Amino acid sequence: MDGAEPEPFFSVLGAVRVRRGDAQVPLGAPQQRALLAMLLLRRNDVVDLDEIVDGLWGEEPPRTAAGTVRSHVYRLRRALGPRIATHGQGYLLHLAPGALDLDVFDGLVAEARTRTTAEGTGEAAELLARALRLWQGAPLAGLPGPYAGIHRERLSELRLSVLLERIELDLRLGRHARLVPELTGLCAQYPLHGRLRELAGLALARTGRTAPTTAQDERPSRPHEPHGNPGTPPAAEPPNPADPPARPHDRTPPLPRPAQLPFPPDRLVGRAEAVADLLGTLTTPRPGSITVAAVTGTGGVGKSALTVHVAHRLREHYPDGQLYAHLRGTSADPADPAAVLAGFLQALGLHERDVPEGPHERAALFRTTVADRRILLVLDDARDTAQAEALLPGSATCAVLVTARATLDGLQTARRVRLEPLAVPDALAVLGEVAGRERIAADPGQAQALAERCGGLPLALRLAGARLAARPSWSLSDFVRLLDGSHPAFPALPPFSVFPAPAGSQDGVTACIRPSYDLLDDEEARLFRLLALPRRGATDIAGAAALGGLPPARAGQCLERLTGLGLLESPRPGVYRQYPLLRMFAAERSREEDRPEEQAVAITRFLDHLLAEARAVHAAERPGHRVFGAFPPEPCPGRPDSRRRLVDPEHDGALAVAAQILEAVPSAVAVAADLALAVEPLLEGSYLWAESLEPLRLILRTARDQGHLRAAGRAGHVLGSALAHLGRLDEADRTLDAAEHAARAVGDDAVHTGILNRRAHVCQYRAQWHQADVLHREAVTAAEAYGSDWACRNARARSVKTLLSLSRPDEAAEVSRTTLASAVDAGDRGGQAYALYNLGVTARHQGRTDEAVDRHRQGAELGARSGSPTMEAMNLVSETAAQLAGNRLPDAVECGERAVEATRRLRWHAAEVRALRLLGTALAATGDRERARVSLDRAADALTLSGLPRNPRDPLLPPDVASL
């Protein structure tokens, strides 16, 4: 039927692979592919679970073996569909005829064997040749476990037997000259195989040449033995039982000792741990297994420099030689493994004419040549696992260092090192080495800015340092301005030079990145460019899909492809980010290749995506609070990654992205204001108010410039909340007053209710308790009229501090119990934590310190579980006060220390003042006056940082936190 998905074709004659049409199906880790190989080799038959466990692990399987097998089967079913069936405690793989390369091979061989007549010899030889061309390297290559090892050997013997049949048929057909190079390589690969020697002697004799020499021929003659006839097959010689068992390399002339390593870097900065890991791995033999170490990372991060440095330090450990190949994995024309093997073989002493033609024959001869020798291979810039695997030796005495931008997931390694960009101190050290340490030390601020612009990539840092060294009159600030985004980031030679570049030339950074970019198809390249438009550290698949206007499945494929080429990194599952220089490169490509209207549409889609994500989180944080009309279809309380990316100050939270987008598309101000309102619960829960000020001001200014009252009310409400929390009370008053007028004008009841609550909050800061009480009541009335249970509950909960300050503790206790019950019914975890806090504070004021401690512990635990560090800190501070009130001094000190740490992490200076004051009081009561004095001094410093008015009754306590 049209549009039907093509049936998969399975391969075991080489690496285990599955293809659907032109696409290769991802099969996961080596052990998962080993399980698939077992099912393929027992196709259409049940393989018991015990057999699978034995085949994968041997005699000592882990306790989790059965569960691991089930997980492998689950993932294989997701990749291959329902063709894997469960039968009791086993599994069966349904396979159609002709769907496995081994079946195709067997069919061709069987057909060839039916052509026994002389007339059919040519057809039989061609059929066998076709069968042998199905082999793509060592069978079951790279698979672990005893089952794969046994069948690898069996299948290798099967191939050799069919190869011998084909050679015999070719000899019948008179193809002697063509066979000589192939047989020469095979004799070197299988030096003790008598039949191969006979066939080689026959082919040579018919071409008028002598038989090839081998280890047996080169054995020294004993005095009573005549020298043998070179043309006589060695199999005719009777073996001498006195001869010791011979290894091939014991009887051949010494091989050359290649030393192909490039010139090493003078010194590596910031890579001591990676060097130690690699040296430890490559000097520790792995019994029966070749040692492979892989170094991966983005372009310019220093993979080649690291591996060459390590390889030079290992020269004495690998005295038989060091081979090096640049595999050009990021170029449009990657190195052909067969050509690389030819170079290796010639470096090891073979004449060019003796190198076999076929890639498999070259690989086999290479493995034979290096067998039992201590040789180190450095394979630099591998394209993928297949390219690297084709070059691996087979001897456990050899070792391999591979570098790649791709992750090389399918490559079996003893050690993987993922290189990250250098931290700022190490980046400054690299700049200082090249540009001059004194010059860098003289302007540390600009030097750090330059290091950050270079993204910590050693390549960029050295290029920048070299440009600076060549321009001694330049200041660092002059140079940094070239990288500030107002100039093209990667023209032909800038940003590291102001001189015009020759046409078509590239600077070192561009030359490093461009080859990977050129490997992308149009859709992948477009997404890579668009990802740089929102200056954001990370995004997920949904965000990338919004930017590119792609289905999520296709966006995920593109992101994985970009990651595989080193153009993105994935710090955690489903999250992707660009390194700074890669983002600069992508942004420059977007300026060149994407029209401004296309860019505007893309980033507007992205802003809509952020709003949808934030609305879903808002609905989970404030259930029943209808700020945006209808609820999102699927509120998602369990998406911690969404919460982090929406407000994370280290990776440009949603507000910073919204502000950036408004600069390009001011008409998106309504969406930006809604986004500000949607992330307010996250700002409050994480106390990230300070980071939100600048983007909120831009959103509010844009709304006012456009006369957009609804957006102005919403942005003003959130900005006023931030200012109030940060102690900027006069500015908060002005901002909230203007926002209230705007919200009233457009009938934005939800925002008006929130503004009343926040104005009461400002009154609490100023200890204006009666005015706060009036505003709380107005907020409750407005919320009831508006129909928001959450807003009613929140206004009542916030009034508890006011009620206690007005000496109405019974009313405060009743409000706290009511709000807790309401929050439990609504599934409002934040509301529950706040109600528990209020119950604890009320119990302490009424002298029930044990109850207060219990309530605060519950509230702190719930705050931590629900992702609200602010609520956790509030409860810890108040628990300290309750412990102190109950004269439990050791508990008060321990809880106070945790409270100080929690408030400091949030940079919540007002709460830190209270925590330090309580801790100091507890320490003084225990007799530790020195630590108490330090704590109180720190409290005074924190109060200065907070900017809050002091409590007239106690100048070390701001009024807002006096009751914490």
mmCIF file of all heavy atoms in Angstrom, residues 767-804:
data_model
loop_
_atom_site.group_PDB
_atom_site.id
_atom_site.type_symbol
_atom_site.label_atom_id
_atom_site.label_comp_id
_atom_site.label_asym_id
_atom_site.label_seq_id
_atom_site.Cartn_x
_atom_site.Cartn_y
_atom_site.Cartn_z
ATOM 1 N N ALA A 767 5.251 47.858 58.500
ATOM 2 C CA ALA A 767 4.587 47.688 59.793
ATOM 3 C C ALA A 767 3.302 48.520 59.891
ATOM 4 O O ALA A 767 2.904 48.946 60.983
ATOM 5 C CB ALA A 767 5.527 48.020 60.944
ATOM 6 N N GLN A 768 2.629 48.724 58.775
ATOM 7 C CA GLN A 768 1.350 49.438 58.733
ATOM 8 C C GLN A 768 0.242 48.379 58.783
ATOM 9 O O GLN A 768 -0.419 48.068 57.791
ATOM 10 C CB GLN A 768 1.266 50.286 57.463
ATOM 11 C CG GLN A 768 2.325 51.379 57.390
ATOM 12 C CD GLN A 768 2.418 52.030 56.019
ATOM 13 O OE1 GLN A 768 1.921 51.500 55.029
ATOM 14 N NE2 GLN A 768 3.059 53.196 55.959
ATOM 15 N N TRP A 769 0.043 47.805 59.982
ATOM 16 C CA TRP A 769 -0.766 46.603 60.091
ATOM 17 C C TRP A 769 -2.251 46.855 59.847
ATOM 18 O O TRP A 769 -2.918 46.020 59.220
ATOM 19 C CB TRP A 769 -0.546 45.973 61.465
ATOM 20 C CG TRP A 769 0.898 45.667 61.733
ATOM 21 C CD1 TRP A 769 1.707 46.253 62.649
ATOM 22 C CD2 TRP A 769 1.706 44.718 61.028
ATOM 23 N NE1 TRP A 769 2.979 45.739 62.579
ATOM 24 C CE2 TRP A 769 3.011 44.774 61.589
ATOM 25 C CE3 TRP A 769 1.482 43.823 59.984
ATOM 26 C CZ2 TRP A 769 4.053 43.994 61.149
ATOM 27 C CZ3 TRP A 769 2.519 43.027 59.545
ATOM 28 C CH2 TRP A 769 3.788 43.109 60.118
ATOM 29 N N HIS A 770 -2.792 47.960 60.313
ATOM 30 C CA HIS A 770 -4.233 48.228 60.106
ATOM 31 C C HIS A 770 -4.532 48.425 58.621
ATOM 32 O O HIS A 770 -5.541 47.918 58.108
ATOM 33 C CB HIS A 770 -4.669 49.445 60.919
ATOM 34 C CG HIS A 770 -4.689 49.191 62.397
ATOM 35 N ND1 HIS A 770 -5.641 48.406 62.999
ATOM 36 C CD2 HIS A 770 -3.843 49.611 63.382
ATOM 37 C CE1 HIS A 770 -5.398 48.352 64.299
ATOM 38 N NE2 HIS A 770 -4.311 49.080 64.570
ATOM 39 N N GLN A 771 -3.668 49.159 57.933
ATOM 40 C CA GLN A 771 -3.877 49.351 56.500
ATOM 41 C C GLN A 771 -3.732 48.026 55.757
ATOM 42 O O GLN A 771 -4.481 47.751 54.814
ATOM 43 C CB GLN A 771 -2.882 50.373 55.967
ATOM 44 C CG GLN A 771 -3.155 50.799 54.526
ATOM 45 C CD GLN A 771 -2.214 51.912 54.065
ATOM 46 O OE1 GLN A 771 -1.536 52.529 54.893
ATOM 47 N NE2 GLN A 771 -2.197 52.159 52.774
ATOM 48 N N ALA A 772 -2.792 47.189 56.198
ATOM 49 C CA ALA A 772 -2.636 45.875 55.582
ATOM 50 C C ALA A 772 -3.886 45.034 55.780
ATOM 51 O O ALA A 772 -4.330 44.328 54.855
ATOM 52 C CB ALA A 772 -1.422 45.163 56.185
ATOM 53 N N ASP A 773 -4.487 45.134 56.982
ATOM 54 C CA ASP A 773 -5.701 44.360 57.265
ATOM 55 C C ASP A 773 -6.828 44.763 56.318
ATOM 56 O O ASP A 773 -7.554 43.919 55.772
ATOM 57 C CB ASP A 773 -6.111 44.592 58.732
ATOM 58 C CG ASP A 773 -7.259 43.696 59.153
ATOM 59 O OD1 ASP A 773 -7.333 42.548 58.653
ATOM 60 O OD2 ASP A 773 -8.092 44.135 59.977
ATOM 61 N N VAL A 774 -6.969 46.050 56.080
ATOM 62 C CA VAL A 774 -8.014 46.526 55.166
ATOM 63 C C VAL A 774 -7.779 45.982 53.757
ATOM 64 O O VAL A 774 -8.707 45.503 53.081
ATOM 65 C CB VAL A 774 -8.049 48.076 55.161
ATOM 66 C CG1 VAL A 774 -8.967 48.586 54.055
ATOM 67 C CG2 VAL A 774 -8.493 48.602 56.521
ATOM 68 N N LEU A 775 -6.546 46.044 53.290
ATOM 69 C CA LEU A 775 -6.232 45.580 51.929
ATOM 70 C C LEU A 775 -6.429 44.074 51.787
ATOM 71 O O LEU A 775 -6.892 43.596 50.744
ATOM 72 C CB LEU A 775 -4.796 45.972 51.571
ATOM 73 C CG LEU A 775 -4.581 47.461 51.293
ATOM 74 C CD1 LEU A 775 -3.094 47.789 51.247
ATOM 75 C CD2 LEU A 775 -5.246 47.854 49.971
ATOM 76 N N HIS A 776 -6.104 43.303 52.835
ATOM 77 C CA HIS A 776 -6.341 41.862 52.779
ATOM 78 C C HIS A 776 -7.832 41.568 52.612
ATOM 79 O O HIS A 776 -8.229 40.706 51.816
ATOM 80 C CB HIS A 776 -5.835 41.183 54.050
ATOM 81 C CG HIS A 776 -4.341 41.009 54.085
ATOM 82 N ND1 HIS A 776 -3.624 40.431 53.057
ATOM 83 C CD2 HIS A 776 -3.427 41.322 55.045
ATOM 84 C CE1 HIS A 776 -2.327 40.409 53.380
ATOM 85 N NE2 HIS A 776 -2.185 40.959 54.569
ATOM 86 N N ARG A 777 -8.643 42.270 53.373
ATOM 87 C CA ARG A 777 -10.096 42.051 53.277
ATOM 88 C C ARG A 777 -10.591 42.418 51.870
ATOM 89 O O ARG A 777 -11.454 41.731 51.306
ATOM 90 C CB ARG A 777 -10.815 42.861 54.350
ATOM 91 C CG ARG A 777 -10.531 42.374 55.759
ATOM 92 C CD ARG A 777 -11.199 43.270 56.807
ATOM 93 N NE ARG A 777 -10.811 42.882 58.139
ATOM 94 C CZ ARG A 777 -11.371 41.874 58.835
ATOM 95 N NH1 ARG A 777 -12.356 41.190 58.290
ATOM 96 N NH2 ARG A 777 -10.959 41.589 60.060
ATOM 97 N N GLU A 778 -10.094 43.526 51.330
ATOM 98 C CA GLU A 778 -10.488 43.901 49.966
ATOM 99 C C GLU A 778 -10.077 42.817 48.962
ATOM 100 O O GLU A 778 -10.812 42.514 48.013
ATOM 101 C CB GLU A 778 -9.849 45.233 49.593
ATOM 102 C CG GLU A 778 -10.438 46.433 50.308
ATOM 103 C CD GLU A 778 -9.801 47.731 49.829
ATOM 104 O OE1 GLU A 778 -9.148 47.723 48.757
ATOM 105 O OE2 GLU A 778 -9.947 48.761 50.522
ATOM 106 N N ALA A 779 -8.883 42.243 49.170
ATOM 107 C CA ALA A 779 -8.407 41.205 48.260
ATOM 108 C C ALA A 779 -9.287 39.964 48.335
ATOM 109 O O ALA A 779 -9.612 39.355 47.305
ATOM 110 C CB ALA A 779 -6.953 40.852 48.594
ATOM 111 N N VAL A 780 -9.728 39.588 49.551
ATOM 112 C CA VAL A 780 -10.616 38.431 49.697
ATOM 113 C C VAL A 780 -11.940 38.698 49.002
ATOM 114 O O VAL A 780 -12.474 37.850 48.267
ATOM 115 C CB VAL A 780 -10.823 38.092 51.188
ATOM 116 C CG1 VAL A 780 -11.927 37.046 51.351
ATOM 117 C CG2 VAL A 780 -9.520 37.591 51.805
ATOM 118 N N THR A 781 -12.492 39.899 49.225
ATOM 119 C CA THR A 781 -13.769 40.244 48.578
ATOM 120 C C THR A 781 -13.650 40.217 47.059
ATOM 121 O O THR A 781 -14.524 39.680 46.352
ATOM 122 C CB THR A 781 -14.224 41.641 49.044
ATOM 123 O OG1 THR A 781 -14.363 41.644 50.467
ATOM 124 C CG2 THR A 781 -15.542 42.033 48.405
ATOM 125 N N ALA A 782 -12.566 40.783 46.526
ATOM 126 C CA ALA A 782 -12.369 40.796 45.075
ATOM 127 C C ALA A 782 -12.206 39.384 44.530
ATOM 128 O O ALA A 782 -12.730 39.060 43.462
ATOM 129 C CB ALA A 782 -11.144 41.643 44.729
ATOM 130 N N ALA A 783 -11.491 38.525 45.277
ATOM 131 C CA ALA A 783 -11.283 37.144 44.815
ATOM 132 C C ALA A 783 -12.591 36.368 44.810
ATOM 133 O O ALA A 783 -12.855 35.565 43.900
ATOM 134 C CB ALA A 783 -10.250 36.451 45.702
ATOM 135 N N GLU A 784 -13.421 36.593 45.817
ATOM 136 C CA GLU A 784 -14.729 35.917 45.857
ATOM 137 C C GLU A 784 -15.587 36.360 44.686
ATOM 138 O O GLU A 784 -16.260 35.541 44.040
ATOM 139 C CB GLU A 784 -15.422 36.208 47.184
ATOM 140 C CG GLU A 784 -14.780 35.481 48.355
ATOM 141 C CD GLU A 784 -15.395 35.905 49.684
ATOM 142 O OE1 GLU A 784 -16.029 36.989 49.746
ATOM 143 O OE2 GLU A 784 -15.214 35.163 50.671
ATOM 144 N N ALA A 785 -15.588 37.680 44.409
ATOM 145 C CA ALA A 785 -16.369 38.179 43.276
ATOM 146 C C ALA A 785 -15.836 37.634 41.959
ATOM 147 O O ALA A 785 -16.600 37.348 41.024
ATOM 148 C CB ALA A 785 -16.340 39.708 43.270
ATOM 149 N N TYR A 786 -14.523 37.502 41.893
ATOM 150 C CA TYR A 786 -13.870 37.003 40.675
ATOM 151 C C TYR A 786 -14.067 35.498 40.520
ATOM 152 O O TYR A 786 -14.089 34.962 39.413
ATOM 153 C CB TYR A 786 -12.389 37.379 40.750
ATOM 154 C CG TYR A 786 -11.492 36.699 39.748
ATOM 155 C CD1 TYR A 786 -11.765 36.742 38.391
ATOM 156 C CD2 TYR A 786 -10.352 36.021 40.184
ATOM 157 C CE1 TYR A 786 -10.924 36.127 37.485
ATOM 158 C CE2 TYR A 786 -9.511 35.408 39.281
ATOM 159 C CZ TYR A 786 -9.801 35.454 37.923
ATOM 160 O OH TYR A 786 -8.965 34.847 37.029
ATOM 161 N N GLY A 787 -14.244 34.786 41.647
ATOM 162 C CA GLY A 787 -14.488 33.350 41.592
ATOM 163 C C GLY A 787 -13.242 32.503 41.616
ATOM 164 O O GLY A 787 -13.236 31.405 41.039
ATOM 165 N N SER A 788 -12.190 32.973 42.299
ATOM 166 C CA SER A 788 -10.952 32.202 42.357
ATOM 167 C C SER A 788 -10.735 31.705 43.786
ATOM 168 O O SER A 788 -10.419 32.492 44.685
ATOM 169 C CB SER A 788 -9.754 33.052 41.920
ATOM 170 O OG SER A 788 -8.537 32.364 42.178
ATOM 171 N N ASP A 789 -10.895 30.389 43.996
ATOM 172 C CA ASP A 789 -10.657 29.815 45.322
ATOM 173 C C ASP A 789 -9.202 30.010 45.733
ATOM 174 O O ASP A 789 -8.913 30.256 46.911
ATOM 175 C CB ASP A 789 -10.990 28.320 45.319
ATOM 176 C CG ASP A 789 -12.485 28.079 45.214
ATOM 177 O OD1 ASP A 789 -13.254 29.010 45.538
ATOM 178 O OD2 ASP A 789 -12.888 26.979 44.807
ATOM 179 N N TRP A 790 -8.296 29.886 44.769
ATOM 180 C CA TRP A 790 -6.880 30.024 45.114
ATOM 181 C C TRP A 790 -6.593 31.442 45.604
ATOM 182 O O TRP A 790 -5.896 31.642 46.610
ATOM 183 C CB TRP A 790 -5.984 29.728 43.911
ATOM 184 C CG TRP A 790 -4.529 29.866 44.263
ATOM 185 C CD1 TRP A 790 -3.711 28.914 44.760
ATOM 186 C CD2 TRP A 790 -3.754 31.080 44.210
ATOM 187 N NE1 TRP A 790 -2.467 29.440 45.024
ATOM 188 C CE2 TRP A 790 -2.467 30.757 44.700
ATOM 189 C CE3 TRP A 790 -4.022 32.385 43.814
ATOM 190 C CZ2 TRP A 790 -1.448 31.715 44.787
ATOM 191 C CZ3 TRP A 790 -3.022 33.346 43.906
ATOM 192 C CH2 TRP A 790 -1.731 32.999 44.383
ATOM 193 N N ALA A 791 -7.133 32.456 44.910
ATOM 194 C CA ALA A 791 -6.871 33.842 45.301
ATOM 195 C C ALA A 791 -7.460 34.136 46.676
ATOM 196 O O ALA A 791 -6.848 34.844 47.494
ATOM 197 C CB ALA A 791 -7.436 34.802 44.261
ATOM 198 N N CYS A 792 -8.651 33.575 46.982
ATOM 199 C CA CYS A 792 -9.235 33.748 48.325
ATOM 200 C C CYS A 792 -8.320 33.123 49.375
ATOM 201 O O CYS A 792 -8.043 33.725 50.425
ATOM 202 C CB CYS A 792 -10.609 33.074 48.394
ATOM 203 S SG CYS A 792 -11.920 33.942 47.525
ATOM 204 N N ARG A 793 -7.893 31.889 49.094
ATOM 205 C CA ARG A 793 -7.059 31.174 50.054
ATOM 206 C C ARG A 793 -5.737 31.908 50.273
ATOM 207 O O ARG A 793 -5.250 32.037 51.402
ATOM 208 C CB ARG A 793 -6.800 29.762 49.512
ATOM 209 C CG ARG A 793 -5.997 28.871 50.403
ATOM 210 C CD ARG A 793 -6.072 27.411 49.949
ATOM 211 N NE ARG A 793 -5.607 27.204 48.598
ATOM 212 C CZ ARG A 793 -6.384 26.862 47.561
ATOM 213 N NH1 ARG A 793 -7.693 26.719 47.736
ATOM 214 N NH2 ARG A 793 -5.886 26.673 46.370
ATOM 215 N N ASN A 794 -5.152 32.428 49.197
ATOM 216 C CA ASN A 794 -3.865 33.104 49.299
ATOM 217 C C ASN A 794 -3.991 34.410 50.072
ATOM 218 O O ASN A 794 -3.142 34.737 50.918
ATOM 219 C CB ASN A 794 -3.326 33.376 47.890
ATOM 220 C CG ASN A 794 -1.940 33.980 47.917
ATOM 221 O OD1 ASN A 794 -1.023 33.441 48.518
ATOM 222 N ND2 ASN A 794 -1.787 35.124 47.261
ATOM 223 N N ALA A 795 -5.068 35.176 49.821
ATOM 224 C CA ALA A 795 -5.254 36.450 50.538
ATOM 225 C C ALA A 795 -5.441 36.197 52.029
ATOM 226 O O ALA A 795 -4.900 36.927 52.877
ATOM 227 C CB ALA A 795 -6.451 37.201 49.963
ATOM 228 N N ARG A 796 -6.212 35.164 52.376
ATOM 229 C CA ARG A 796 -6.414 34.856 53.796
ATOM 230 C C ARG A 796 -5.113 34.394 54.443
ATOM 231 O O ARG A 796 -4.798 34.770 55.578
ATOM 232 C CB ARG A 796 -7.488 33.778 53.934
ATOM 233 C CG ARG A 796 -8.898 34.263 53.588
ATOM 234 C CD ARG A 796 -9.955 33.250 53.996
ATOM 235 N NE ARG A 796 -11.290 33.761 53.770
ATOM 236 C CZ ARG A 796 -12.078 33.387 52.761
ATOM 237 N NH1 ARG A 796 -11.639 32.495 51.875
ATOM 238 N NH2 ARG A 796 -13.281 33.901 52.637
ATOM 239 N N ALA A 797 -4.346 33.540 53.701
ATOM 240 C CA ALA A 797 -3.091 33.040 54.267
ATOM 241 C C ALA A 797 -2.121 34.192 54.525
ATOM 242 O O ALA A 797 -1.428 34.219 55.551
ATOM 243 C CB ALA A 797 -2.472 32.014 53.321
ATOM 244 N N ARG A 798 -2.068 35.149 53.631
ATOM 245 C CA ARG A 798 -1.140 36.269 53.794
ATOM 246 C C ARG A 798 -1.583 37.212 54.918
ATOM 247 O O ARG A 798 -0.766 37.999 55.411
ATOM 248 C CB ARG A 798 -1.006 37.030 52.479
ATOM 249 C CG ARG A 798 -0.247 36.253 51.418
ATOM 250 C CD ARG A 798 0.012 37.077 50.183
ATOM 251 N NE ARG A 798 0.760 36.318 49.193
ATOM 252 C CZ ARG A 798 2.080 36.175 49.175
ATOM 253 N NH1 ARG A 798 2.804 36.732 50.133
ATOM 254 N NH2 ARG A 798 2.673 35.462 48.236
ATOM 255 N N SER A 799 -2.834 37.106 55.304
ATOM 256 C CA SER A 799 -3.316 37.991 56.381
ATOM 257 C C SER A 799 -2.927 37.493 57.762
ATOM 258 O O SER A 799 -3.079 38.232 58.746
ATOM 259 C CB SER A 799 -4.845 38.117 56.306
ATOM 260 O OG SER A 799 -5.471 36.922 56.748
ATOM 261 N N VAL A 800 -2.422 36.261 57.883
ATOM 262 C CA VAL A 800 -2.127 35.694 59.201
ATOM 263 C C VAL A 800 -1.067 36.514 59.923
ATOM 264 O O VAL A 800 -1.187 36.807 61.130
ATOM 265 C CB VAL A 800 -1.683 34.222 59.065
ATOM 266 C CG1 VAL A 800 -1.081 33.705 60.377
ATOM 267 C CG2 VAL A 800 -2.860 33.352 58.650
ATOM 268 N N LYS A 801 -0.037 36.941 59.233
ATOM 269 C CA LYS A 801 1.008 37.759 59.854
ATOM 270 C C LYS A 801 0.405 39.058 60.389
ATOM 271 O O LYS A 801 0.752 39.530 61.484
ATOM 272 C CB LYS A 801 2.098 38.054 58.832
ATOM 273 C CG LYS A 801 3.272 38.837 59.391
ATOM 274 C CD LYS A 801 4.270 39.175 58.306
ATOM 275 C CE LYS A 801 4.847 37.932 57.669
ATOM 276 N NZ LYS A 801 5.896 38.258 56.657
ATOM 277 N N THR A 802 -0.506 39.650 59.623
ATOM 278 C CA THR A 802 -1.156 40.893 60.065
ATOM 279 C C THR A 802 -2.004 40.645 61.303
ATOM 280 O O THR A 802 -1.975 41.425 62.272
ATOM 281 C CB THR A 802 -2.016 41.450 58.918
ATOM 282 O OG1 THR A 802 -1.186 41.726 57.798
ATOM 283 C CG2 THR A 802 -2.743 42.711 59.340
ATOM 284 N N LEU A 803 -2.762 39.544 61.312
ATOM 285 C CA LEU A 803 -3.624 39.238 62.456
ATOM 286 C C LEU A 803 -2.806 39.026 63.722
ATOM 287 O O LEU A 803 -3.186 39.484 64.812
ATOM 288 C CB LEU A 803 -4.464 37.995 62.147
ATOM 289 C CG LEU A 803 -5.486 38.151 61.006
ATOM 290 C CD1 LEU A 803 -6.105 36.808 60.664
ATOM 291 C CD2 LEU A 803 -6.564 39.163 61.391
ATOM 292 N N LEU A 804 -1.687 38.338 63.597
ATOM 293 C CA LEU A 804 -0.826 38.131 64.770
ATOM 294 C C LEU A 804 -0.265 39.454 65.271
ATOM 295 O O LEU A 804 -0.168 39.692 66.487
ATOM 296 C CB LEU A 804 0.304 37.165 64.426
ATOM 297 C CG LEU A 804 -0.105 35.700 64.203
ATOM 298 C CD1 LEU A 804 1.077 34.887 63.684
ATOM 299 C CD2 LEU A 804 -0.636 35.081 65.498
#
